[in-house]
Amino acid sequence: MPVRIRLSRGGAKKRPFYRIVVADSRRARDGKFIDQIGTYNPMLPKDSADRVKMDLDKAKEWISKGAKPSDRISIFLSNLGVMEKPVITEKTKKHLPKKKAQERLAAAKEKEEAAKAASEEPKAEDAEAKPAEDAQPAEEPKAEDAEAKKE
């Protein structure tokens, strides 16, 4: 009989609560189970001690008898120090944009960087140009030329 240590869902709609059970893997998720060894309440904060409660002695006993923990339960057990942390395989890259979309995104980033660089340069030039204007005021000669034309 293939025995698994897994989660069995309880609780109300949008308010999950799980029992950690030892069950035949061919049974329904919330169906008949052999033994209940703990609870998991994902609604509690991650640092709460009541989030995962498990009888570690029972868990070790069932693992020694050949029960295989599910992925989530193996993570819980590794956090509690009963077993090694499972190897998490690399995710597929199907969710990433395709080649042309990546090229468009790269081009858009380059344009943004160029625009930022261009917007920063005139500010630096304005700062340099203002002291030069102070040395030679441009409006005064224009005012003198206008007076000379009137005469």
Side-chain angles (χ1 to χ4, degrees):
M1 178 168 70
V3 178
R4 301 277 297 186
I5 302 174
R6 64 183 184 192
L7 296 173
S8 174
R9 188 183 159 121
K13 180 180 177 183
K14 303 213 177 194
R15 303 284 298 170
F17 183 82
Y18 297 93
R19 291 184 292 188
I20 301 171
V21 297
V22 177
D24 184 352
S25 65
R26 296 169 289 196
R27 293 270 183 189
R29 177 191 70 180
D30 302 332
K32 190 175 179 182
F33 57 88
I34 300 168
D35 192 11
Q36 179 179 344
I37 61 172
T39 59
Y40 168 56
N41 188 354
M43 300 300 289
L44 294 176
K46 289 187 178 185
D47 58 345
S48 174
D50 294 335
R51 186 175 168 102
V52 178
K53 290 183 183 177
M54 194 180 313
D55 187 350
L56 295 179
D57 295 332
K58 281 187 178 181
K60 289 177 186 177
E61 180 184 336
W62 280 106
I63 290 172
S64 68
K65 290 179 181 177
K68 302 263 184 199
S70 68
D71 293 338
R72 177 61 48 188
I73 298 300
S74 61
I75 291 170
F76 291 158
L77 290 171
S78 68
N79 290 340
L80 295 172
V82 174
M83 58 187 301
E84 292 182 16
K85 193 167 187 172
V87 177
I88 299 171
T89 59
E90 188 176 326
K91 295 181 182 180
T92 62
K93 296 186 173 45
K94 288 186 176 182
H95 68 283
L96 296 175
K98 301 290 187 236
K99 186 177 180 181
K100 285 186 178 181
Q102 286 180 347
E103 291 172 358
R104 277 186 261 142
L105 289 172
K109 283 184 181 178
E110 289 176 6
K111 286 181 182 178
E112 288 178 12
E113 291 174 2
K116 285 181 182 179
S119 66
E120 291 175 1
E121 288 175 8
K123 290 179 184 176
E125 290 175 4
D126 291 341
E128 294 172 4
K130 286 182 182 178
E133 289 176 5
D134 291 340
Q136 295 178 349
E139 295 179 16
E140 291 177 13
K142 289 182 183 177
E144 293 173 2
D145 292 336
E147 291 176 12
K149 287 181 182 178
K150 286 182 184 178
E151 293 177 4

